[in-house]
Amino acid sequence: MGVLASCGLLSAHAALAVGDSPGGPAVNEINFQPPVTKIAEELYHLHMMMLLLCTVIFVGVFGVMFYSIFKHRKSKGHKAANFHESTTVEIIWTIVPFVIVVLMALPATKTVVAMKDTSNADLTIKVTGYQWKWAYDYVKGPGEGINFFSTLTTPRSEVNGQAPITDTYLQEVDNPLVVPVNKKIRIITTANDVVHSWYVPAFGVKQDAIPGFVRDTWFKAEKVGTFRGFCTELCGKEHAFMPIVVTVLSDDDYAKWVDDQKKKMAGASDDPNKTYTMAELMQRGGEVYKSNCAVCHQPTGKGAGAFPALDGSKIVNGPIANHVSIVLNGKNAMPNWGKTLNDVEIASVITFERNSWGNHTGDILQPKQVADARNGKLPEGGDHLNAGAAAPAAASGAAAASGPTASLDAPRAVTASRVVTNQPEAVAARTAPAA
C-alpha cells in the first residue's frame, strides 16, 4: 500500500509539473480562453451574462423554495392551502421566462449572424481534414498558391509514457497555419475521409469538416502570437493526435513568410517525368516520411501499437508491388496516401523505406512507375525475402540437370546473381516499366 501511495504522489507531482500551454489551455482553467477576436469576445460576454442570469434565477427559485419549506413546516402548525389554480401566478410565470429568453436570444442571434458573415475576406484558406492531420491551401489573397500539411510532432515516447510530457503535449505541429494580424480570414472546411471539426477557442471558431461538403467560417485575430486548437469531432483512434496551431504575424512578418514559402515551393517543385537518383529519392523520401509517416511508424521505423514496424518488414523487403499497393490504397489503420501524396512523394518515401534502418534492398522506385501503378500496372521485382531461398533451389536444379561440372559452376552463378540483385542500377532496370 505504501508503494502504491508513493506512486500516486509521484504521478500527481508529475501532473502538476506540466505548465500552461502557450496559446492553448491553462492548468486548472475552467473558463473560456482569453479572446483574441471580436467574435470570441462577444461569445465570452454572452457566456458570462447567461451564467450570471442563470445563477440569479437558481438562487432566487431555490431560495424561495427552501425558505417556504423551512418557514411553513408542519412542526410549526402550518397547513397546506387548498386551491386549484391562480390566473395571476400562471400569467407571471409565463411572461417572466418569455422576457428572459428574449433578452438572451437577441444578443445571441446578433453574434450568430456575425459569425456567419464571411464576406469581404482579406484571405481565404481551405482547410481539409484527414485521418489524422490537416491540410491548408491558401486559395485567395496574400499567399495564394501556398499549400502544406500540418502534422503532430509530439514524440511517441511521450505518448507511450516513456518520456516526460512537455507543456505542448499533443498540441505541437510541424507546419502551423500562418495568418496576418487584423485581417479577415475566411476558412473553408471539408474532409477527405470522415467528419472532422476545426476549432480554435481563442478565435471563437468551430466549424465541422464534412466529406463531400464545404462549410465556411471566419476570424480576425487582433493580437500576434501562437494559438492552439484541436479537432472536436470523434474521427477515429488517432482523434487526439490532430491538433491545430495558428501563428498570427504582423503584416511585414507575414509578407516575409509568404516570400520564403514561395521560394521553398519553387525550389522543391516535383517533376513526375524526371528520373531521380537514389540520393535524391532518399533525401526527399526522408522529408515525406518525417511529415507523414513518422508519427505512426516512428522515426526509427520500429512502429507502435496498431502500426507495424517498417524496419525488417515483410512488406518493405518483399515484392515492391505489394509495398506500392498498400501506400496507394491503404490497409486497416493505414490511410490511403494515393489521394494525398503525388507520384514523386510516393516514389521517394517507398525508396526511403526500402533503404533505411536495417532495410538494404537497393530498390529504386521512379515516379513514372507510381503513375503506372495508379492505372493498374504495378512494378515488378523487389522480393528480397524469397530471393535467397529461390536462388539455391534454382542452382540445385541446374546441378541435377547438368551434372558435376555444372554443379561446380552453380554456386558462383548464384553468388554473382545476388551481388547484381543488390546493385541499385540493376534494381532500377529490373523495376523500370517496360518500354
Side-chain angles (χ1 to χ4, degrees):
M1 291 296 291
V3 174
L4 291 175
S6 300
C7 291
L9 290 173
L10 288 174
S11 299
H13 177 74
L16 291 174
V18 178
D20 297 346
S21 176
V27 176
N28 298 325
E29 186 174 47
I30 60 174
N31 208 340
F32 288 1
Q33 292 184 21
V36 295
T37 68
K38 288 291 184 184
I39 292 294
E41 189 174 347
E42 290 181 19
L43 292 175
Y44 182 84
H45 291 322
L46 281 171
H47 164 71
M48 297 305 295
M49 179 196 77
M50 293 184 183
L51 180 62
L52 178 61
L53 189 58
C54 291
T55 301
V56 171
I57 294 172
F58 176 86
V59 172
V61 170
F62 281 89
V64 171
M65 184 181 73
F66 287 125
Y67 172 81
S68 300
I69 292 172
F70 178 78
K71 188 69 176 178
H72 303 94
R73 60 189 184 276
K74 185 178 180 180
S75 61
K76 282 197 169 188
H78 289 280
K79 294 183 178 180
N82 185 15
F83 61 89
H84 292 285
E85 70 275 330
S86 172
T87 303
T88 302
V89 171
E90 291 183 358
I91 291 175
I92 291 174
W93 73 31
T94 300
I95 293 178
V96 171
F98 176 77
V99 171
I100 292 174
V101 169
V102 170
L103 291 176
M104 295 169 68
L106 287 176
T109 302
K110 178 183 176 183
T111 301
V112 170
V113 170
M115 291 170 66
K116 297 300 180 183
D117 181 15
T118 59
S119 61
N120 301 318
D122 298 302
L123 176 61
T124 300
I125 301 173
K126 178 186 174 186
V127 178
T128 305
Y130 291 83
Q131 291 179 307
W132 291 272
K133 64 183 66 185
W134 297 99
Y136 297 110
D137 295 279
Y138 289 65
V139 178
K140 186 178 180 181
E144 181 175 340
I146 294 175
N147 59 83
F148 53 85
F149 283 93
S150 183
T151 307
L152 177 74
T153 56
T154 297
R156 279 282 171 171
S157 57
E158 292 185 24
V159 176
N160 296 333
Q162 299 167 340
I165 63 175
T166 64
D167 293 342
T168 55
Y169 175 69
L170 296 185
Q171 297 180 76
E172 49 196 337
V173 297
D174 51 359
N175 298 307
L177 177 65
V178 180
V179 298
V181 71
N182 292 321
K183 301 292 183 182
K184 186 172 184 178
I185 313 298
R186 182 189 179 202
I187 299 293
I188 302 174
T189 62
T190 188
N192 183 64
D193 34 48
V194 299
V195 178
H196 301 273
S197 188
W198 199 81
Y199 176 49
V200 182
F203 295 165
V205 171
K206 180 183 181 296
Q207 186 63 61
D208 286 352
I210 306 172
F213 294 86
V214 290
R215 298 288 186 268
D216 65 347
T217 184
W218 69 279
F219 66 87
K220 185 177 181 180
E222 299 177 339
K223 178 182 177 182
V224 298
T226 299
F227 305 96
R228 304 176 194 276
F230 38 87
C231 177
T232 52
E233 191 72 38
L234 186 60
C235 56
K237 64 179 293 294
E238 302 285 320
H239 165 63
F241 296 172
M242 52 183 303
I244 299 162
V245 180
V246 182
T247 300
V248 181
L249 301 177
S250 65
D251 289 342
D252 291 340
D253 289 339
Y254 179 75
K256 182 180 178 181
W257 177 84
V258 168
D259 186 55
D260 291 342
Q261 290 298 307
K262 290 191 172 182
K263 288 179 180 177
K264 288 181 182 179
M265 291 177 64
S269 58
D270 294 326
D271 182 2
N273 298 313
K274 177 183 175 181
T275 299
Y276 290 84
T277 65
M278 170 70 85
E280 291 173 329
L281 291 170
M282 289 294 290
Q283 180 180 356
R284 185 66 199 283
E287 297 171 357
V288 176
Y289 183 87
K290 180 180 178 181
S291 298
N292 299 278
C293 313
V295 68
C296 297
H297 293 288
Q298 301 294 291
T300 58
K302 298 299 184 182
F307 299 96
L310 300 181
D311 185 6
S313 164
K314 293 182 179 179
I315 295 295
V316 174
N317 291 280
I320 196 169
N322 295 342
H323 195 172
V324 173
S325 179
I326 287 180
V327 173
L328 283 176
N329 304 311
K331 182 180 180 181
N332 299 329
M334 173 82 167
N336 178 345
W337 291 108
K339 296 181 179 179
T340 306
L341 303 178
N342 62 37
D343 294 347
V344 176
E345 290 171 324
I346 290 178
S348 299
V349 76
I350 290 178
T351 301
F352 174 81
E353 291 172 353
R354 296 179 77 86
N355 296 280
S356 295
W357 314 297
N359 306 324
H360 304 291
T361 66
D363 292 346
I364 295 178
L365 184 69
Q366 296 294 341
K368 290 182 180 180
Q369 293 174 278
V370 177
D372 289 340
R374 292 183 189 272
N375 296 321
K377 184 182 178 182
L378 293 170
E380 299 178 354
D383 189 354
H384 302 275
L385 295 175
N386 297 321
S396 62
S402 303
T405 304
S407 65
L408 291 174
D409 293 334
R412 286 181 291 178
V414 172
T415 304
S417 173
R418 289 178 181 171
V419 172
V420 172
T421 299
N422 288 325
Q423 291 298 322
E425 294 81 0
V427 176
R430 174 162 50 82
T431 58

PDB file of all heavy atoms in Angstrom, residues 1 28 56 96 133 161 176 204 206 252 271 293 313 404 413 430:
ATOM      1  N   MET A   1       0.818  -1.203   0.000  1.00  0.00           N
ATOM      2  CA  MET A   1       0.000   0.000   0.000  1.00  0.00           C
ATOM      3  C   MET A   1       0.856   1.260   0.000  1.00  0.00           C
ATOM      4  O   MET A   1       0.557   2.250  -0.654  1.00  0.00           O
ATOM      5  CB  MET A   1      -0.930   0.001   1.236  1.00  0.00           C
ATOM      6  CG  MET A   1      -2.018  -1.064   1.186  1.00  0.00           C
ATOM      7  SD  MET A   1      -3.172  -0.797  -0.184  1.00  0.00           S
ATOM      8  CE  MET A   1      -3.983   0.684   0.408  1.00  0.00           C
ATOM      9  N   ASN A  28      -5.766  23.912 -14.787  1.00  0.00           N
ATOM     10  CA  ASN A  28      -6.924  24.204 -13.939  1.00  0.00           C
ATOM     11  C   ASN A  28      -7.821  25.304 -14.503  1.00  0.00           C
ATOM     12  O   ASN A  28      -8.562  25.951 -13.758  1.00  0.00           O
ATOM     13  CB  ASN A  28      -6.474  24.590 -12.512  1.00  0.00           C
ATOM     14  CG  ASN A  28      -5.727  23.473 -11.820  1.00  0.00           C
ATOM     15  OD1 ASN A  28      -6.029  22.304 -12.010  1.00  0.00           O
ATOM     16  ND2 ASN A  28      -4.727  23.829 -11.018  1.00  0.00           N
ATOM     17  N   VAL A  56     -28.607  33.854 -10.885  1.00  0.00           N
ATOM     18  CA  VAL A  56     -29.630  34.647 -10.183  1.00  0.00           C
ATOM     19  C   VAL A  56     -30.944  33.882 -10.113  1.00  0.00           C
ATOM     20  O   VAL A  56     -31.602  33.832  -9.062  1.00  0.00           O
ATOM     21  CB  VAL A  56     -29.817  36.014 -10.886  1.00  0.00           C
ATOM     22  CG1 VAL A  56     -31.031  36.743 -10.305  1.00  0.00           C
ATOM     23  CG2 VAL A  56     -28.563  36.865 -10.739  1.00  0.00           C
ATOM     24  N   VAL A  96     -42.604  36.175 -17.447  1.00  0.00           N
ATOM     25  CA  VAL A  96     -41.237  36.401 -16.967  1.00  0.00           C
ATOM     26  C   VAL A  96     -40.224  35.514 -17.701  1.00  0.00           C
ATOM     27  O   VAL A  96     -39.206  36.019 -18.212  1.00  0.00           O
ATOM     28  CB  VAL A  96     -41.159  36.206 -15.438  1.00  0.00           C
ATOM     29  CG1 VAL A  96     -39.700  36.219 -14.977  1.00  0.00           C
ATOM     30  CG2 VAL A  96     -41.959  37.287 -14.723  1.00  0.00           C
ATOM     31  N   LYS A 133      -4.586  14.517 -39.637  1.00  0.00           N
ATOM     32  CA  LYS A 133      -3.801  15.727 -39.868  1.00  0.00           C
ATOM     33  C   LYS A 133      -4.686  16.730 -40.589  1.00  0.00           C
ATOM     34  O   LYS A 133      -5.829  16.437 -40.971  1.00  0.00           O
ATOM     35  CB  LYS A 133      -2.563  15.405 -40.711  1.00  0.00           C
ATOM     36  CG  LYS A 133      -2.890  14.920 -42.119  1.00  0.00           C
ATOM     37  CD  LYS A 133      -1.657  14.555 -42.888  1.00  0.00           C
ATOM     38  CE  LYS A 133      -0.997  13.360 -42.261  1.00  0.00           C
ATOM     39  NZ  LYS A 133       0.277  13.036 -42.916  1.00  0.00           N
ATOM     40  N   GLY A 161       4.353   7.141 -22.668  1.00  0.00           N
ATOM     41  CA  GLY A 161       4.770   7.249 -21.282  1.00  0.00           C
ATOM     42  C   GLY A 161       6.224   6.927 -21.039  1.00  0.00           C
ATOM     43  O   GLY A 161       6.628   6.692 -19.895  1.00  0.00           O
ATOM     44  N   PRO A 176       2.548  25.045 -38.768  1.00  0.00           N
ATOM     45  CA  PRO A 176       1.340  25.729 -38.301  1.00  0.00           C
ATOM     46  C   PRO A 176       0.703  26.564 -39.415  1.00  0.00           C
ATOM     47  O   PRO A 176       1.365  26.936 -40.383  1.00  0.00           O
ATOM     48  CB  PRO A 176       1.861  26.636 -37.181  1.00  0.00           C
ATOM     49  CG  PRO A 176       3.286  26.908 -37.559  1.00  0.00           C
ATOM     50  CD  PRO A 176       3.780  25.649 -38.225  1.00  0.00           C
ATOM     51  N   GLY A 204     -12.826  31.860 -31.188  1.00  0.00           N
ATOM     52  CA  GLY A 204     -14.279  31.677 -31.189  1.00  0.00           C
ATOM     53  C   GLY A 204     -14.755  31.008 -32.464  1.00  0.00           C
ATOM     54  O   GLY A 204     -15.865  31.284 -32.940  1.00  0.00           O
ATOM     55  N   LYS A 206     -15.418  27.418 -34.603  1.00  0.00           N
ATOM     56  CA  LYS A 206     -15.594  25.963 -34.614  1.00  0.00           C
ATOM     57  C   LYS A 206     -16.471  25.614 -35.815  1.00  0.00           C
ATOM     58  O   LYS A 206     -17.626  26.043 -35.884  1.00  0.00           O
ATOM     59  CB  LYS A 206     -16.241  25.462 -33.328  1.00  0.00           C
ATOM     60  CG  LYS A 206     -16.447  23.953 -33.298  1.00  0.00           C
ATOM     61  CD  LYS A 206     -17.164  23.523 -32.021  1.00  0.00           C
ATOM     62  CE  LYS A 206     -17.345  22.012 -31.970  1.00  0.00           C
ATOM     63  NZ  LYS A 206     -18.232  21.536 -33.071  1.00  0.00           N
ATOM     64  N   ASP A 252       4.330  42.792 -41.960  1.00  0.00           N
ATOM     65  CA  ASP A 252       5.676  42.660 -42.530  1.00  0.00           C
ATOM     66  C   ASP A 252       6.203  41.236 -42.388  1.00  0.00           C
ATOM     67  O   ASP A 252       6.773  40.668 -43.331  1.00  0.00           O
ATOM     68  CB  ASP A 252       6.632  43.641 -41.845  1.00  0.00           C
ATOM     69  CG  ASP A 252       6.319  45.082 -42.187  1.00  0.00           C
ATOM     70  OD1 ASP A 252       5.631  45.310 -43.215  1.00  0.00           O
ATOM     71  OD2 ASP A 252       6.735  45.988 -41.443  1.00  0.00           O
ATOM     72  N   ASP A 271       9.009  17.103 -60.351  1.00  0.00           N
ATOM     73  CA  ASP A 271       8.865  16.789 -61.773  1.00  0.00           C
ATOM     74  C   ASP A 271       8.571  15.296 -61.901  1.00  0.00           C
ATOM     75  O   ASP A 271       9.471  14.461 -61.743  1.00  0.00           O
ATOM     76  CB  ASP A 271      10.146  17.150 -62.526  1.00  0.00           C
ATOM     77  CG  ASP A 271      10.026  16.890 -64.023  1.00  0.00           C
ATOM     78  OD1 ASP A 271       8.945  16.473 -64.473  1.00  0.00           O
ATOM     79  OD2 ASP A 271      11.025  17.102 -64.741  1.00  0.00           O
ATOM     80  N   CYS A 293       4.643   9.905 -42.032  1.00  0.00           N
ATOM     81  CA  CYS A 293       4.671   8.513 -41.577  1.00  0.00           C
ATOM     82  C   CYS A 293       5.252   8.334 -40.176  1.00  0.00           C
ATOM     83  O   CYS A 293       4.884   7.386 -39.471  1.00  0.00           O
ATOM     84  CB  CYS A 293       5.484   7.658 -42.554  1.00  0.00           C
ATOM     85  SG  CYS A 293       5.081   7.933 -44.299  1.00  0.00           S
ATOM     86  N   SER A 313      10.465  -5.180 -42.136  1.00  0.00           N
ATOM     87  CA  SER A 313       9.099  -5.570 -42.507  1.00  0.00           C
ATOM     88  C   SER A 313       9.073  -6.462 -43.741  1.00  0.00           C
ATOM     89  O   SER A 313       9.852  -6.289 -44.681  1.00  0.00           O
ATOM     90  CB  SER A 313       8.271  -4.306 -42.766  1.00  0.00           C
ATOM     91  OG  SER A 313       7.083  -4.608 -43.459  1.00  0.00           O
ATOM     92  N   PRO A 404      28.059 -32.951 -62.763  1.00  0.00           N
ATOM     93  CA  PRO A 404      29.039 -32.439 -61.788  1.00  0.00           C
ATOM     94  C   PRO A 404      29.674 -31.137 -62.203  1.00  0.00           C
ATOM     95  O   PRO A 404      29.887 -30.265 -61.387  1.00  0.00           O
ATOM     96  CB  PRO A 404      30.078 -33.563 -61.715  1.00  0.00           C
ATOM     97  CG  PRO A 404      29.364 -34.783 -62.199  1.00  0.00           C
ATOM     98  CD  PRO A 404      28.386 -34.312 -63.206  1.00  0.00           C
ATOM     99  N   ALA A 413      27.533 -18.811 -59.950  1.00  0.00           N
ATOM    100  CA  ALA A 413      26.459 -18.090 -60.655  1.00  0.00           C
ATOM    101  C   ALA A 413      25.469 -17.498 -59.669  1.00  0.00           C
ATOM    102  O   ALA A 413      25.005 -16.371 -59.819  1.00  0.00           O
ATOM    103  CB  ALA A 413      25.741 -19.054 -61.620  1.00  0.00           C
ATOM    104  N   ARG A 430      15.514  -3.501 -63.283  1.00  0.00           N
ATOM    105  CA  ARG A 430      14.561  -4.588 -63.102  1.00  0.00           C
ATOM    106  C   ARG A 430      13.172  -4.074 -62.774  1.00  0.00           C
ATOM    107  O   ARG A 430      12.177  -4.666 -63.160  1.00  0.00           O
ATOM    108  CB  ARG A 430      15.069  -5.478 -61.968  1.00  0.00           C
ATOM    109  CG  ARG A 430      14.123  -6.577 -61.554  1.00  0.00           C
ATOM    110  CD  ARG A 430      14.872  -7.643 -60.764  1.00  0.00           C
ATOM    111  NE  ARG A 430      15.675  -7.043 -59.697  1.00  0.00           N
ATOM    112  CZ  ARG A 430      15.186  -6.689 -58.529  1.00  0.00           C
ATOM    113  NH1 ARG A 430      13.922  -6.841 -58.281  1.00  0.00           N
ATOM    114  NH2 ARG A 430      15.978  -6.178 -57.613  1.00  0.00           N
TER     115      ARG A 430
END
